[in-house]
């Protein structure tokens, strides 16, 4: 492939990731924080996640049919465990938006290296260089500055104060556990990225389908979409843009490696925060802007510090 063609493909993939997740973020905030009818709010977090998993599974199935792949010998219990933690991370993240605005959720979720590192030390008995700890400390400081609520603002949305942040912390913990299970999967059987995507979303769909019925949320969801059918359009577009974004992430990782992809996905998160501020009027204090800059600086330093190390087996990077 010529250099010009390679540069064009990189720009195309990066642009597609930006556009997909830009729309994805706007739709997620519109669905979860928008008001319908007489000031009603969409609260069906399980249904929202189920739609995501179904569409991701369909896209993964297309990938499996499009590329040659070896037989996946991964034990089902690993995929079940991965699906459980993956689901809990997504459900908690989606539920958090009922109490937090989108910039807060994005910055909070950007702290994913923290639980991955902590669980790596406690469970995986890994050791990290001092630089790694400093980068994570930078991220922690930024997140604390961003999430800290001024005394004067504590009366606003006081009913949900603390719950949104708690859900983000739980979501991050589940992300760390998902990473630990996926590391075990890669170590034992090294399945392809699209096989992992396919099986994780398949088990996630089964688990969520059972949960949505037994929790009774299926009836709440049917009632809501019957009353406000426009939400189905938002849900479909939301799931499609998320799955397309993952597809282009896979293309970028396969062709250019995980480092350029990490830079693109981290950069797009920062611009997603800016978009949410401009489109939905989520005004941020100066302290929060400084915290956000610290978080993304820590992430970029961590990315570039890791570039000289041996790359892990390729897999789809999550948003």
């Amino acid at each position: 492939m010529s250099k010009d063609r390679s540069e064009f493909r990189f720009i195309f993939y990066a642009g597609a990731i930006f556009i997909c997740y830009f729309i994805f973020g706007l739709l997620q905030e519109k669905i979860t924080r928008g008001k319908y009818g007489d000031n009603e709010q969409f609260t069906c977090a399980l249904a929202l996640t189920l739609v995501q998993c179904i569409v991701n599974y369909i896209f993964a199935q297309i990938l499996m049919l499009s590329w040659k792949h070896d037989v996946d010998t991964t034990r089902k219990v690993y995929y079940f465990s991965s699906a459980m933690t993956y689901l809990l991370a997504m459900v908690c993240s989606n539920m958090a938006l009922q109490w937090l605005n989108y910039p807060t959720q994005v910055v909070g979720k950007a702290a994913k290296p923290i639980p991955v590192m902590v669980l790596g030390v406690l469970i995986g008995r890994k050791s990290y260089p001092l630089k790694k700890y400093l980068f994570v400390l930078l991220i922690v400081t930024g997140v604390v500055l961003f999430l800290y609520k001024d005394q004067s603002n504590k009366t606003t949305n006081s009913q949900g104060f603390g719950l949104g942040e708690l859900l983000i912390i739980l979501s991050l913990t589940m992300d760390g556990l998902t990473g630990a299970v996926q590391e075990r999967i890669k170590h034992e059987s090294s399945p392809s990225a699209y096989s992992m995507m396919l099986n994780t979303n398949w088990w996630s769909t089964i688990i969520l389908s059972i949960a949505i019925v037994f929790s009774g949320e299926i009836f709440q969801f049917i009632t809501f979409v019957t009353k406000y059918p426009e939400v189905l359009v938002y849900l479909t577009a939301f799931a499609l843009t998320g799955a397309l974004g993952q597809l282009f992430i896979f293309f970028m990782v396969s062709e250019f490696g995980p480092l350029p992809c990490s830079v693109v996905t981290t950069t797009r998160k920062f611009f997603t925060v800016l978009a949410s501020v401009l489109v939905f009027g989520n005004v941020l204090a100066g302290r929060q802007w400084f915290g956000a800059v610290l978080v993304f600086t820590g992430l970029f330093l961590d990315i570039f510090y890791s570039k000289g190390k041996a790359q892990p087996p390729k897999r789809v990077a999550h948003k």
Side-chain angles (χ1 to χ4, degrees):
M1 184 189 301
S2 68
K3 185 178 179 181
D4 289 342
R5 279 180 62 86
S6 178
E7 288 178 353
F8 172 78
R9 289 166 77 89
F10 179 85
I11 293 170
F12 176 75
Y13 293 154
I17 291 168
F18 265 78
I19 292 170
C20 285
Y21 283 121
F22 175 80
I23 298 171
F24 176 89
L26 294 181
L27 287 167
Q28 188 174 28
E29 188 155 14
K30 173 67 178 175
I31 293 166
T32 56
R33 292 181 61 81
K35 303 299 181 183
Y36 301 85
D38 298 328
N39 213 29
E40 288 189 64
Q41 199 170 358
F42 182 85
T43 58
C44 303
L46 292 177
L48 179 64
T49 311
L50 177 59
V51 173
Q52 278 184 274
C53 291
I54 291 172
V55 175
N56 285 344
Y57 173 78
I58 293 170
F59 269 74
Q61 193 68 262
I62 293 170
L63 289 171
M64 291 288 283
L65 295 173
S66 302
W67 282 277
K68 291 181 180 179
H69 55 87
D70 297 326
V71 176
D72 189 351
T73 58
T74 305
R75 288 191 282 173
K76 289 182 173 59
V77 66
Y78 283 160
Y79 277 132
F80 176 80
S81 302
S82 175
M84 282 295 293
T85 54
Y86 167 72
L87 275 181
L88 286 169
M90 281 205 297
V91 170
C92 290
S93 181
N94 288 333
M95 285 181 66
L97 284 168
Q98 295 174 32
W99 294 276
L100 301 174
N101 58 33
Y102 193 67
T104 303
Q105 189 236 39
V106 171
V107 173
K109 288 287 287 182
K112 188 185 291 188
I114 299 170
V116 171
M117 187 173 179
V118 171
L119 290 169
V121 171
L122 296 178
I123 299 176
R125 296 182 180 178
K126 291 185 176 181
S127 60
Y128 298 95
L130 180 61
K131 285 183 181 179
K132 185 85 171 178
Y133 288 100
L134 292 175
F135 299 152
V136 170
L137 178 62
L138 201 61
I139 296 170
V140 171
T141 305
V143 171
V144 170
L145 283 172
F146 193 95
L147 296 181
Y148 174 76
K149 285 184 170 63
D150 294 322
Q151 196 70 28
S152 59
N153 293 333
K154 286 187 178 180
T155 55
T156 305
N157 294 327
S158 58
Q159 184 179 359
F161 173 70
L163 185 53
E165 289 86 350
L166 183 63
L167 286 166
I168 289 294
I169 291 170
L170 184 56
S171 178
L172 287 170
T173 304
M174 292 301 108
D175 282 331
L177 289 172
T178 301
V181 175
Q182 290 180 340
E183 283 297 328
R184 178 61 66 86
I185 291 173
K186 288 191 296 177
H187 177 73
E188 290 195 5
S189 52
S190 295
S192 65
Y194 32 86
S195 182
M196 287 182 72
M197 183 179 175
L198 180 84
N199 285 284
T200 300
N201 282 287
W202 166 248
W203 281 104
S204 298
T205 300
I206 292 174
I207 295 166
L208 275 175
S209 298
I210 296 170
I212 201 174
V213 172
F214 280 91
S215 68
E217 189 179 296
I218 182 67
F219 305 109
Q220 181 187 348
F221 176 71
I222 292 172
T223 301
F224 193 92
V225 297
T226 302
K227 196 173 182 181
Y228 308 108
E230 67 272 17
V231 78
L232 284 175
V233 178
Y234 301 144
L235 283 170
T236 304
F238 165 75
L240 284 173
T241 51
L244 275 172
Q246 280 202 0
L247 181 62
F248 283 112
I249 284 174
F250 171 75
F251 287 151
M252 180 167 278
V253 169
S254 298
E255 194 164 322
F256 298 100
L259 176 62
C261 186
S262 296
V263 173
V264 169
T265 54
T266 301
T267 305
R268 77 89 190 161
K269 287 178 182 178
F270 189 78
F271 281 101
T272 299
V273 171
L274 293 179
S276 182
V277 170
L278 294 173
V279 176
F280 292 98
N282 291 311
V283 180
L284 302 181
R287 181 201 70 257
Q288 290 181 297
W289 281 115
F290 182 61
V293 169
L294 285 182
V295 169
F296 289 105
T297 300
L299 288 172
F300 277 115
L301 287 172
D302 185 51
I303 289 167
F304 284 108
Y305 170 75
S306 303
K307 69 180 180 181
K309 299 189 174 184
Q311 301 293 357
K314 294 173 184 176
R315 64 183 175 91
V316 173
H318 292 291
K319 58 181 182 16

